[in-house]
Amino acid sequence: MEDKINQTQKDHGSLLQAIGTQKLVAIIALVVLFLFFWFFGENFAKYSTIISILDSSYYIGFMAIGVTFVIITGGIDLSIGTSCICCSLITGTLFTKAGLPMPVCVVLAVLLGGLFGLANGIMVSVMKLPAFIATLGTMMITRGLGSIVTNTATVTFPQATASGGAFRSLFKLKAPGLPQAGIPTGFILLIILAVAMAVLLNKTRPGRYILSLGSNKEATRLSGVDVMKYETLAFVISGLFAGLAGVSYAAVYSTLMPGTGNGFELDAIAGVVIGGTSLAGGVGSIAGTLIGVFIMAVLKTGLPFIGVQPHYQLLITGFVLVIAVFVDVLNRRKQGKA
Amino acid sequence: MGEVILTMKDIDKSFAGVYALKKAGLELKRGEVHALMGENGAGKSTLMKILTGIYSRDEGIIVFEGQKVQFKNPKEAQDAGIVIVHQELNMMNHLTVAQNIFIGRERMNGRLVDDKKMAEDAAELFRKLNIKIDPKENMGRLTVGRQQMCEIAKAISTEAKVIVFDEPTAALTESEINELFKIIRDLRDKGIGIIYISHRMDEINQITDRVTVMRDGEYVGTLITEECTKDDIIRMMVGRTVYEAPKIISSVPEDAPVVLKVENLNVGRAVKDLSFELHKGEILGFSGLMGAGRTESARAIFGADKKDSGEIFVYGKKVDIRSPKDAVKAGIGYLSEDRKRYGVIVEKSVVVNTTMSSVPQFTRGLFLDNKAEVRTAEKYVKALKTKTPSVHQQVRNLSGGNQQKVVIAKWLTRDCEILIFDEPTRGIDVGAKSEIYTLMNELVKQGKSIIMISSELTEVLRMSDRILVMCEGRKTGEINIDEATQEKIMHAATIRN
Ligand SMILES: Nc1ncnc2c1ncn2[C@@H]1O[C@H](COP(=O)(O)OP(=O)(O)OP(=O)(O)O)[C@@H](O)[C@H]1O
Ligand SMILES: [Mg+2]
């Protein structure tokens, strides 16, 4: 008995245990992929490529960070993709039609996302709807809402230099004297928020309760924790980040079309899962999510550089997803044995 | 014993129109260990859940420290100083032991949770309680017994004034029970009121000061433990006496064929070189302390876990068991000790659980014969006296002991030649216990063979024809029933090398 305790203490100490095997595999995969494209991709090895990888990953990254919380509770949020676009469509319309100042619009977009998240949270935790169905409903509602508010017209956000375009420098700073492709401020924002959310998840009470209720909701309730509140909170966080994702999408792509956004959520969820968060709930990490998102972004940006057609890209990404989860399953099986 | 700290009076509660409690009640004093007894489904757990704010009551009053109270949720009860160790384990498997213990009352460092401090405090708590568990270990990796000890530690750490133990010893071994009793006596001496639910008569004598008996949701009476006998209590519980005599001589003929032979079974660190034979019509008792490797052996034989080496012969023929499916095909059934994890699907009905592992029996052409399923389920509900309003009830809503009966029904339906019962009467009341004993005796009379893993020595001595004792994964004794005594078994169970 004595030596068994010592044994497990040793296990905790090891670096592998601290990072988690799957996360380690994911980090290595990310680096290998990147180096592969760097050396074999034609014209890949440039500063501007890195910028375009980053540009294409912000909105997925924000959504993925948010939805990680929901997935840890054992739930799912399918509405983030369309709600990301919807938030920006609505605030973009307020800017162009009603002349609301842009900073207000940006804050409003994030809050609007939070509101959709709150609705999801209440439906799931209080009204006890299955998360899949509740958020599927919100997905359709937000998609429809975007079209109604814009009257199905596209919304174009102002250029960086135009009035109201300054919000773009939240994600990319362009100025004379700086590199032509700009400084990726969005990446800094992403990392800051990721660290903040990692602290929230692992070091604060709300985070602890979200992990706990994902592991065993009934036991958490019996321990005197208000599980409804914290389950709702997970959805609110997911919604807020979907709103922010919408802002970053507008900053990078300028023009938003009503009716789009479907499928973004699946990219985000795929990133979360590649990063080692279990769909069964109870385990997950923000760092893993970011790595997962960047694996997908590098693949998406890099594959064309080695001459792979778009439909093959999807195929390859699909395989990566399945393999990543399989590695995780294998791992857990081994751990269960030990 | 001090003054009265808690009074529950005339408590009524019904679920969907069916009474679970009718005028139930209890009076608890400071510094008292008060037993709450009654048959499976008598309403003990329900009464305690009402006390701790998990269920709301329909009628009745609760007075705690001179104040009328009505807790709306477990947190309110906990804040007032009433905590419960539940009958069913309530663990967050993905969190560490320390995180589990302090859930809902984390140690904080400013706005951040202080995991280091919690691990230290948990270690300190374990040291005081003399429990050897690593607070940083993931809860899911502990054995059921250790998880139970964590739950107990969690309750104690709240500095409560009233602690309810709902069958705390069901998953513990004799030595762990002794530890627990030491802890409980300590708490009692500190003036804490303790409500203790158990079906084990000898524990009631050992640890409790008074006994309150319930029957069918009603208060029957309260006795002072010292002034009453076991039979008095049982009579109040079931309205008759139940006689339990140990087996004196094996009922298996000398020349009974060997139905199961296991040779040099090895499973990781848990089981080392285990070999034994099981004869037709025999009940082979597996005795030993917790962690002796009995459950691990059973699971490996049943194919639920991978074995490292070892051969298994059924009726002299070597069988290759790699999964439970292979085992069932070879005629081996296994009733798990941990019914919640492996035994029943709580969201499903009694019928579904009963027929779960014998679906082909109930298939006519492409379709399931639901009527036959219901007939079978009803047959076993009657045979085992399972207390349920109907066979369509979700197993979740049955009392703990009645859930266990559903597991037994499942394997009886499957009709296996060799049955491994892992702690078959855990959490089962005296009346039902003797029914299960009768049933096991009937099964061996029909020519079936049984391996019975049990941590209760009286049970092993009462039922077995032969007793195999394990310690630290090895077989340390094989004793025929005519020579077996508690001392001999305990001696063999502690031979370490
Ligand atoms: N949530 C529920 N819904 C419906 N019926 C319930 C529910 N909880 C308990 N019951 C019923 O109430 C009765 C009392 O159950 P309870 O769990 O209190 O019994 P118990 O005395 O603790 O038995 P055991 O010794 O088997 O644990 C049982 O008949 C049970 O089926
Ligand atoms: Mg009970």
Side-chain angles (χ1 to χ4, degrees), chain A residues 1-3 5 8-9 12 199 202-205 208-209 212 215-216 219-225 281-283 337, chain B residues 54 74-75 78 86 90-95 99 103-104 106 108 112-113 115 118 132 134 136-137 146 154 269:
Chain A
M1 190 182 286
E2 199 68 40
D3 58 23
I5 290 173
T8 49
Q9 267 162 356
H12 285 301
V199 170
N202 297 306
K203 287 278 157 209
T204 68
R205 281 201 162 138
R208 173 63 41 81
Y209 297 153
S212 174
S215 183
N216 187 341
T220 309
R221 192 177 73 86
L222 292 180
S223 304
V225 174
V283 268
K337 278 276 157 54
Chain B
I54 295 161
K75 179 121 184 95
Q78 191 180 304
H86 286 281
N90 280 293
M91 308 267 87
M92 281 71 75
N93 285 339
H94 301 98
L95 301 189
Q99 289 171 345
I103 191 78
E106 286 71 15
M108 304 297 282
L112 302 184
V113 292
D115 276 307
M118 286 193 273
K132 284 205 186 77
D134 176 5
K136 294 207 200 79
E137 180 71 282
R146 279 154 171 266
K154 175 176 167 185
R269 293 145 59 103

Short mmCIF file of all heavy atoms in Angstrom, two decimals, chain A residues 1-3 5 8-9 12 199 202-205 208-209 212 215-216 219-225 281-283 337, chain B residues 54 74-75 78 86 90-95 99 103-104 106 108 112-113 115 118 132 134 136-137 146 154 269:
data_model
loop_
_atom_site.label_atom_id
_atom_site.label_comp_id
_atom_site.label_asym_id
_atom_site.label_seq_id
_atom_site.Cartn_x
_atom_site.Cartn_y
_atom_site.Cartn_z
N MET A 1 0.85 -1.20 0.00
CA MET A 1 0.00 0.00 0.00
C MET A 1 0.88 1.24 0.00
O MET A 1 0.70 2.15 -0.78
CB MET A 1 -0.88 -0.04 1.24
CG MET A 1 -1.96 1.04 1.20
SD MET A 1 -2.93 0.99 2.69
CE MET A 1 -3.91 -0.47 2.41
N GLU A 2 1.85 1.20 0.91
CA GLU A 2 2.76 2.33 1.05
C GLU A 2 3.41 2.70 -0.28
O GLU A 2 3.38 3.84 -0.70
CB GLU A 2 3.85 1.96 2.07
CG GLU A 2 4.59 3.15 2.65
CD GLU A 2 3.70 3.99 3.53
OE1 GLU A 2 2.89 3.43 4.28
OE2 GLU A 2 3.81 5.21 3.44
N ASP A 3 3.93 1.66 -0.97
CA ASP A 3 4.67 1.99 -2.18
C ASP A 3 3.75 2.39 -3.33
O ASP A 3 4.16 3.06 -4.25
CB ASP A 3 5.62 0.85 -2.59
CG ASP A 3 4.92 -0.46 -2.81
OD1 ASP A 3 3.70 -0.43 -3.08
OD2 ASP A 3 5.55 -1.49 -2.70
N ILE A 5 1.27 4.42 -2.96
CA ILE A 5 1.10 5.86 -2.78
C ILE A 5 2.31 6.61 -3.34
O ILE A 5 2.18 7.58 -4.07
CB ILE A 5 0.88 6.19 -1.29
CG1 ILE A 5 -0.49 5.67 -0.86
CG2 ILE A 5 0.97 7.69 -1.06
CD1 ILE A 5 -0.76 5.78 0.59
N THR A 8 2.15 6.76 -7.13
CA THR A 8 1.28 7.74 -7.75
C THR A 8 1.83 9.14 -7.56
O THR A 8 1.67 9.99 -8.42
CB THR A 8 -0.14 7.67 -7.14
OG1 THR A 8 -0.01 7.67 -5.73
CG2 THR A 8 -0.87 6.45 -7.60
N GLN A 9 2.53 9.37 -6.46
CA GLN A 9 3.12 10.67 -6.28
C GLN A 9 4.16 10.94 -7.34
O GLN A 9 4.27 12.03 -7.86
CB GLN A 9 3.74 10.79 -4.89
CG GLN A 9 2.74 11.40 -3.90
CD GLN A 9 3.13 11.13 -2.46
OE1 GLN A 9 4.10 10.43 -2.22
NE2 GLN A 9 2.37 11.67 -1.55
N HIS A 12 2.60 11.97 -10.55
CA HIS A 12 2.18 13.37 -10.60
C HIS A 12 3.35 14.27 -10.96
O HIS A 12 3.20 15.25 -11.65
CB HIS A 12 1.62 13.79 -9.25
CG HIS A 12 0.26 13.24 -9.03
ND1 HIS A 12 -0.78 13.52 -9.86
CD2 HIS A 12 -0.22 12.42 -8.08
CE1 HIS A 12 -1.84 12.89 -9.43
NE2 HIS A 12 -1.53 12.22 -8.35
N VAL A 199 -7.02 30.52 -16.23
CA VAL A 199 -7.04 30.80 -14.79
C VAL A 199 -8.46 30.64 -14.25
O VAL A 199 -8.70 30.00 -13.23
CB VAL A 199 -6.51 32.23 -14.51
CG1 VAL A 199 -6.75 32.61 -13.06
CG2 VAL A 199 -5.02 32.30 -14.84
N ASN A 202 -9.22 26.86 -14.04
CA ASN A 202 -8.47 26.00 -13.13
C ASN A 202 -8.24 26.58 -11.74
O ASN A 202 -7.90 25.85 -10.82
CB ASN A 202 -7.10 25.67 -13.74
CG ASN A 202 -7.25 24.89 -15.02
OD1 ASN A 202 -7.91 23.87 -15.03
ND2 ASN A 202 -6.67 25.40 -16.09
N LYS A 203 -8.42 27.88 -11.63
CA LYS A 203 -8.01 28.50 -10.37
C LYS A 203 -9.12 29.22 -9.63
O LYS A 203 -8.87 29.83 -8.60
CB LYS A 203 -6.86 29.49 -10.64
CG LYS A 203 -5.54 28.83 -10.97
CD LYS A 203 -4.82 28.40 -9.72
CE LYS A 203 -3.85 27.28 -10.00
NZ LYS A 203 -3.65 26.41 -8.84
N THR A 204 -10.32 29.25 -10.19
CA THR A 204 -11.39 29.95 -9.47
C THR A 204 -12.55 29.00 -9.19
O THR A 204 -12.64 27.93 -9.76
CB THR A 204 -11.95 31.14 -10.29
OG1 THR A 204 -12.63 30.60 -11.43
CG2 THR A 204 -10.85 32.07 -10.75
N ARG A 205 -13.40 29.45 -8.31
CA ARG A 205 -14.55 28.61 -7.93
C ARG A 205 -15.44 28.30 -9.13
O ARG A 205 -15.76 27.14 -9.34
CB ARG A 205 -15.37 29.32 -6.87
CG ARG A 205 -14.75 29.19 -5.52
CD ARG A 205 -15.80 29.41 -4.45
NE ARG A 205 -15.30 28.87 -3.21
CZ ARG A 205 -15.43 29.48 -2.03
NH1 ARG A 205 -16.07 30.61 -1.95
NH2 ARG A 205 -14.95 28.92 -0.95
N ARG A 208 -13.89 25.63 -11.14
CA ARG A 208 -13.90 24.36 -10.42
C ARG A 208 -15.28 23.70 -10.50
O ARG A 208 -15.43 22.51 -10.72
CB ARG A 208 -13.48 24.60 -8.98
CG ARG A 208 -13.58 23.40 -8.04
CD ARG A 208 -12.67 22.26 -8.45
NE ARG A 208 -11.36 22.69 -8.90
CZ ARG A 208 -10.35 22.99 -8.09
NH1 ARG A 208 -10.50 22.90 -6.80
NH2 ARG A 208 -9.21 23.37 -8.58
N TYR A 209 -16.33 24.53 -10.34
CA TYR A 209 -17.68 23.97 -10.35
C TYR A 209 -18.08 23.51 -11.74
O TYR A 209 -18.83 22.56 -11.90
CB TYR A 209 -18.68 24.99 -9.80
CG TYR A 209 -18.42 25.35 -8.35
CD1 TYR A 209 -18.79 26.56 -7.82
CD2 TYR A 209 -17.77 24.43 -7.51
CE1 TYR A 209 -18.54 26.88 -6.50
CE2 TYR A 209 -17.52 24.75 -6.19
CZ TYR A 209 -17.89 25.97 -5.69
OH TYR A 209 -17.63 26.28 -4.39
N SER A 212 -16.42 20.28 -12.14
CA SER A 212 -17.04 19.34 -11.22
C SER A 212 -18.39 18.86 -11.72
O SER A 212 -18.68 17.67 -11.71
CB SER A 212 -17.17 20.03 -9.86
OG SER A 212 -17.87 19.21 -8.98
N SER A 215 -18.14 16.44 -14.43
CA SER A 215 -17.72 15.11 -14.01
C SER A 215 -18.88 14.34 -13.41
O SER A 215 -19.09 13.16 -13.71
CB SER A 215 -16.59 15.24 -12.99
OG SER A 215 -16.11 13.99 -12.62
N ASN A 216 -19.64 14.98 -12.55
CA ASN A 216 -20.80 14.33 -11.94
C ASN A 216 -21.74 15.41 -11.41
O ASN A 216 -21.51 15.98 -10.35
CB ASN A 216 -20.34 13.41 -10.82
CG ASN A 216 -21.47 12.57 -10.24
OD1 ASN A 216 -22.64 12.90 -10.42
ND2 ASN A 216 -21.12 11.50 -9.58
N ALA A 219 -23.65 14.65 -7.99
CA ALA A 219 -22.76 14.72 -6.83
C ALA A 219 -22.42 16.17 -6.52
O ALA A 219 -22.35 16.57 -5.35
CB ALA A 219 -21.50 13.92 -7.08
N THR A 220 -22.23 16.97 -7.55
CA THR A 220 -21.92 18.38 -7.34
C THR A 220 -23.09 19.09 -6.69
O THR A 220 -22.93 19.88 -5.77
CB THR A 220 -21.58 19.05 -8.68
OG1 THR A 220 -20.59 18.27 -9.35
CG2 THR A 220 -21.05 20.44 -8.48
N ARG A 221 -24.29 18.77 -7.16
CA ARG A 221 -25.49 19.37 -6.58
C ARG A 221 -25.61 18.99 -5.10
O ARG A 221 -25.88 19.83 -4.25
CB ARG A 221 -26.73 18.87 -7.32
CG ARG A 221 -28.00 19.63 -7.00
CD ARG A 221 -29.16 19.12 -7.83
NE ARG A 221 -29.61 17.80 -7.38
CZ ARG A 221 -30.50 17.63 -6.41
NH1 ARG A 221 -31.04 18.66 -5.81
NH2 ARG A 221 -30.88 16.42 -6.03
N LEU A 222 -25.37 17.71 -4.82
CA LEU A 222 -25.50 17.26 -3.44
C LEU A 222 -24.43 17.86 -2.54
O LEU A 222 -24.55 17.85 -1.33
CB LEU A 222 -25.43 15.72 -3.38
CG LEU A 222 -26.62 14.99 -3.99
CD1 LEU A 222 -26.44 13.49 -3.87
CD2 LEU A 222 -27.91 15.41 -3.34
N SER A 223 -23.35 18.36 -3.14
CA SER A 223 -22.31 19.01 -2.34
C SER A 223 -22.68 20.45 -2.03
O SER A 223 -21.89 21.19 -1.46
CB SER A 223 -20.97 18.98 -3.08
OG SER A 223 -20.63 17.67 -3.41
N GLY A 224 -23.86 20.86 -2.44
CA GLY A 224 -24.32 22.19 -2.11
C GLY A 224 -23.93 23.26 -3.11
O GLY A 224 -23.92 24.43 -2.80
N VAL A 225 -23.59 22.85 -4.33
CA VAL A 225 -23.22 23.81 -5.36
C VAL A 225 -24.46 24.09 -6.23
O VAL A 225 -25.20 23.19 -6.57
CB VAL A 225 -22.09 23.26 -6.24
CG1 VAL A 225 -21.80 24.20 -7.40
CG2 VAL A 225 -20.84 23.04 -5.40
N GLY A 281 -17.40 15.30 -20.95
CA GLY A 281 -17.38 16.25 -19.84
C GLY A 281 -16.38 15.90 -18.76
O GLY A 281 -15.85 14.80 -18.72
N GLY A 282 -16.12 16.90 -17.91
CA GLY A 282 -15.27 16.67 -16.75
C GLY A 282 -13.80 16.97 -16.94
O GLY A 282 -13.11 17.26 -15.99
N VAL A 283 -13.29 16.87 -18.17
CA VAL A 283 -11.88 17.19 -18.42
C VAL A 283 -11.75 18.10 -19.62
O VAL A 283 -12.49 17.99 -20.59
CB VAL A 283 -11.03 15.93 -18.72
CG1 VAL A 283 -10.43 15.39 -17.47
CG2 VAL A 283 -11.81 14.89 -19.46
N LYS A 337 -5.96 0.97 -17.06
CA LYS A 337 -5.33 -0.30 -16.71
C LYS A 337 -4.35 -0.15 -15.57
O LYS A 337 -4.31 -0.94 -14.65
CB LYS A 337 -4.57 -0.85 -17.92
CG LYS A 337 -5.44 -1.58 -18.90
CD LYS A 337 -5.64 -3.02 -18.48
CE LYS A 337 -6.91 -3.57 -19.10
NZ LYS A 337 -6.93 -3.40 -20.53
N ILE B 54 -32.53 17.62 0.49
CA ILE B 54 -32.48 17.11 -0.88
C ILE B 54 -33.90 16.93 -1.40
O ILE B 54 -34.21 17.28 -2.53
CB ILE B 54 -31.68 15.81 -0.93
CG1 ILE B 54 -30.23 16.12 -0.57
CG2 ILE B 54 -31.77 15.17 -2.31
CD1 ILE B 54 -29.44 14.92 -0.15
N PRO B 74 -29.13 21.15 -0.06
CA PRO B 74 -28.07 20.57 0.78
C PRO B 74 -27.16 21.62 1.40
O PRO B 74 -26.67 21.45 2.50
CB PRO B 74 -27.28 19.70 -0.20
CG PRO B 74 -28.18 19.46 -1.34
CD PRO B 74 -29.11 20.61 -1.42
N LYS B 75 -26.97 22.72 0.68
CA LYS B 75 -26.08 23.77 1.19
C LYS B 75 -26.60 24.37 2.48
O LYS B 75 -25.85 24.58 3.43
CB LYS B 75 -25.92 24.85 0.11
CG LYS B 75 -25.04 25.99 0.51
CD LYS B 75 -23.86 26.12 -0.44
CE LYS B 75 -22.91 27.22 0.01
NZ LYS B 75 -21.80 26.76 0.80
N GLN B 78 -26.07 22.01 5.26
CA GLN B 78 -24.64 21.96 5.57
C GLN B 78 -24.21 23.19 6.36
O GLN B 78 -23.48 23.08 7.34
CB GLN B 78 -23.87 21.88 4.25
CG GLN B 78 -22.40 21.56 4.38
CD GLN B 78 -21.74 21.51 3.01
OE1 GLN B 78 -22.16 20.76 2.14
NE2 GLN B 78 -20.73 22.32 2.81
N HIS B 86 -23.81 9.74 1.81
CA HIS B 86 -24.89 9.05 1.12
C HIS B 86 -24.61 7.57 0.94
O HIS B 86 -23.48 7.12 0.90
CB HIS B 86 -25.14 9.67 -0.25
CG HIS B 86 -25.84 10.98 -0.16
ND1 HIS B 86 -27.18 11.07 0.04
CD2 HIS B 86 -25.37 12.25 -0.21
CE1 HIS B 86 -27.53 12.34 0.10
NE2 HIS B 86 -26.44 13.08 -0.05
N ASN B 90 -21.05 9.52 -4.21
CA ASN B 90 -21.25 10.74 -4.99
C ASN B 90 -19.91 11.41 -5.23
O ASN B 90 -19.50 12.27 -4.46
CB ASN B 90 -22.18 11.68 -4.25
CG ASN B 90 -23.61 11.27 -4.43
OD1 ASN B 90 -24.15 11.34 -5.53
ND2 ASN B 90 -24.22 10.80 -3.38
N MET B 91 -19.23 10.98 -6.26
CA MET B 91 -17.87 11.43 -6.48
C MET B 91 -17.75 12.10 -7.83
O MET B 91 -18.44 11.75 -8.77
CB MET B 91 -16.93 10.23 -6.49
CG MET B 91 -17.08 9.32 -5.30
SD MET B 91 -15.94 9.79 -4.05
CE MET B 91 -16.83 11.00 -3.17
N MET B 92 -16.82 13.07 -7.90
CA MET B 92 -16.44 13.60 -9.19
C MET B 92 -15.15 12.90 -9.58
O MET B 92 -14.07 13.24 -9.10
CB MET B 92 -16.22 15.11 -9.11
CG MET B 92 -17.51 15.91 -9.13
SD MET B 92 -18.48 15.78 -7.62
CE MET B 92 -17.52 16.80 -6.53
N ASN B 93 -15.26 11.93 -10.46
CA ASN B 93 -14.11 11.08 -10.77
C ASN B 93 -12.94 11.83 -11.37
O ASN B 93 -11.81 11.41 -11.22
CB ASN B 93 -14.54 9.97 -11.74
CG ASN B 93 -15.32 8.91 -11.02
OD1 ASN B 93 -15.22 8.78 -9.81
ND2 ASN B 93 -16.12 8.16 -11.75
N HIS B 94 -13.22 12.92 -12.09
CA HIS B 94 -12.13 13.60 -12.78
C HIS B 94 -11.37 14.56 -11.88
O HIS B 94 -10.30 15.02 -12.23
CB HIS B 94 -12.66 14.38 -13.99
CG HIS B 94 -13.35 13.50 -14.99
ND1 HIS B 94 -14.72 13.37 -15.02
CD2 HIS B 94 -12.87 12.70 -15.94
CE1 HIS B 94 -15.05 12.52 -15.98
NE2 HIS B 94 -13.95 12.11 -16.56
N LEU B 95 -11.95 14.89 -10.74
CA LEU B 95 -11.25 15.80 -9.83
C LEU B 95 -10.39 14.99 -8.87
O LEU B 95 -10.58 13.80 -8.69
CB LEU B 95 -12.26 16.63 -9.02
CG LEU B 95 -13.25 17.50 -9.80
CD1 LEU B 95 -14.00 18.40 -8.84
CD2 LEU B 95 -12.56 18.33 -10.86
N GLN B 99 -9.81 17.99 -4.09
CA GLN B 99 -10.82 18.85 -4.72
C GLN B 99 -12.23 18.35 -4.42
O GLN B 99 -13.16 19.12 -4.24
CB GLN B 99 -10.59 18.91 -6.23
CG GLN B 99 -9.34 19.70 -6.60
CD GLN B 99 -8.98 19.59 -8.07
OE1 GLN B 99 -9.49 18.73 -8.78
NE2 GLN B 99 -8.10 20.45 -8.51
N ILE B 103 -15.17 20.47 -2.20
CA ILE B 103 -16.05 21.04 -3.20
C ILE B 103 -17.16 21.85 -2.50
O ILE B 103 -17.74 21.40 -1.53
CB ILE B 103 -16.65 19.95 -4.13
CG1 ILE B 103 -17.35 20.57 -5.31
CG2 ILE B 103 -17.61 19.04 -3.38
CD1 ILE B 103 -16.42 21.02 -6.38
N GLY B 104 -17.38 23.05 -3.01
CA GLY B 104 -18.40 23.90 -2.41
C GLY B 104 -17.87 24.72 -1.26
O GLY B 104 -18.53 25.67 -0.82
N GLU B 106 -14.21 25.64 -1.03
CA GLU B 106 -12.80 25.66 -1.39
C GLU B 106 -12.00 26.56 -0.46
O GLU B 106 -12.47 27.59 -0.01
CB GLU B 106 -12.62 26.16 -2.83
CG GLU B 106 -13.02 25.17 -3.90
CD GLU B 106 -14.51 24.97 -3.99
OE1 GLU B 106 -15.28 25.79 -3.44
OE2 GLU B 106 -14.95 23.98 -4.62
N MET B 108 -9.46 29.37 -0.23
CA MET B 108 -9.16 30.39 -1.22
C MET B 108 -7.88 31.14 -0.87
O MET B 108 -7.51 31.27 0.29
CB MET B 108 -10.30 31.41 -1.32
CG MET B 108 -11.65 30.80 -1.63
SD MET B 108 -11.74 29.98 -3.22
CE MET B 108 -11.89 31.39 -4.29
N LEU B 112 -8.54 33.27 -5.93
CA LEU B 112 -8.17 32.01 -6.58
C LEU B 112 -8.30 30.84 -5.62
O LEU B 112 -8.04 30.98 -4.43
CB LEU B 112 -6.73 32.10 -7.11
CG LEU B 112 -6.46 33.23 -8.10
CD1 LEU B 112 -5.03 33.16 -8.61
CD2 LEU B 112 -7.43 33.17 -9.27
N VAL B 113 -8.69 29.68 -6.17
CA VAL B 113 -8.75 28.50 -5.31
C VAL B 113 -7.32 28.02 -5.05
O VAL B 113 -6.46 28.07 -5.92
CB VAL B 113 -9.58 27.35 -5.94
CG1 VAL B 113 -11.03 27.71 -6.00
CG2 VAL B 113 -9.06 26.97 -7.29
N ASP B 115 -5.32 25.07 -4.43
CA ASP B 115 -5.27 23.61 -4.47
C ASP B 115 -4.19 23.05 -3.56
O ASP B 115 -4.34 21.97 -3.01
CB ASP B 115 -5.06 23.14 -5.91
CG ASP B 115 -6.36 23.05 -6.67
OD1 ASP B 115 -7.28 22.39 -6.16
OD2 ASP B 115 -6.46 23.64 -7.75
N MET B 118 -5.51 22.99 -0.09
CA MET B 118 -6.54 21.95 0.06
C MET B 118 -5.90 20.57 0.15
O MET B 118 -6.33 19.73 0.93
CB MET B 118 -7.53 22.02 -1.10
CG MET B 118 -8.47 23.19 -1.00
SD MET B 118 -9.85 23.07 -2.13
CE MET B 118 -9.17 23.80 -3.58
N LYS B 132 -4.94 6.12 4.65
CA LYS B 132 -3.80 6.31 3.74
C LYS B 132 -4.30 6.51 2.32
O LYS B 132 -4.50 5.55 1.58
CB LYS B 132 -2.88 5.09 3.80
CG LYS B 132 -2.01 5.03 5.04
CD LYS B 132 -0.74 4.22 4.77
CE LYS B 132 0.06 4.03 6.04
NZ LYS B 132 -0.52 2.99 6.90
N ASP B 134 -3.69 9.32 -1.08
CA ASP B 134 -2.99 10.49 -1.61
C ASP B 134 -4.02 11.53 -2.05
O ASP B 134 -4.81 11.27 -2.97
CB ASP B 134 -2.13 10.04 -2.80
CG ASP B 134 -1.43 11.22 -3.46
OD1 ASP B 134 -1.54 12.34 -2.93
OD2 ASP B 134 -0.78 11.01 -4.49
N LYS B 136 -3.81 14.00 -3.87
CA LYS B 136 -3.67 14.51 -5.23
C LYS B 136 -4.08 13.48 -6.27
O LYS B 136 -4.10 13.74 -7.47
CB LYS B 136 -2.22 14.93 -5.49
CG LYS B 136 -1.78 16.11 -4.65
CD LYS B 136 -0.67 16.88 -5.37
CE LYS B 136 0.12 17.74 -4.42
NZ LYS B 136 1.12 17.00 -3.63
N GLU B 137 -4.42 12.28 -5.81
CA GLU B 137 -4.85 11.23 -6.73
C GLU B 137 -6.22 11.59 -7.32
O GLU B 137 -7.04 12.24 -6.67
CB GLU B 137 -4.96 9.92 -5.93
CG GLU B 137 -5.39 8.71 -6.73
CD GLU B 137 -4.34 8.24 -7.69
OE1 GLU B 137 -4.20 8.88 -8.76
OE2 GLU B 137 -3.66 7.25 -7.40
N ARG B 146 -12.14 2.96 -0.78
CA ARG B 146 -11.40 4.19 -0.50
C ARG B 146 -12.23 5.42 -0.85
O ARG B 146 -12.16 6.44 -0.15
CB ARG B 146 -10.11 4.20 -1.30
CG ARG B 146 -9.09 3.37 -0.59
CD ARG B 146 -8.07 2.82 -1.50
NE ARG B 146 -7.04 2.23 -0.66
CZ ARG B 146 -5.95 2.86 -0.29
NH1 ARG B 146 -5.74 4.08 -0.68
NH2 ARG B 146 -5.08 2.26 0.47
N LYS B 154 -14.88 13.70 4.02
CA LYS B 154 -15.49 14.95 3.57
C LYS B 154 -16.56 15.42 4.56
O LYS B 154 -16.60 16.59 4.94
CB LYS B 154 -16.10 14.72 2.19
CG LYS B 154 -16.88 15.87 1.61
CD LYS B 154 -17.33 15.52 0.20
CE LYS B 154 -18.37 16.47 -0.33
NZ LYS B 154 -18.89 16.05 -1.64
N ARG B 269 -0.71 -6.09 -10.65
CA ARG B 269 -0.21 -6.25 -9.29
C ARG B 269 -1.28 -6.78 -8.37
O ARG B 269 -1.04 -7.04 -7.20
CB ARG B 269 0.25 -4.88 -8.75
CG ARG B 269 1.46 -4.33 -9.46
CD ARG B 269 1.40 -2.81 -9.56
NE ARG B 269 1.31 -2.17 -8.26
CZ ARG B 269 2.35 -1.57 -7.68
NH1 ARG B 269 3.51 -1.56 -8.27
NH2 ARG B 269 2.22 -1.01 -6.51
#
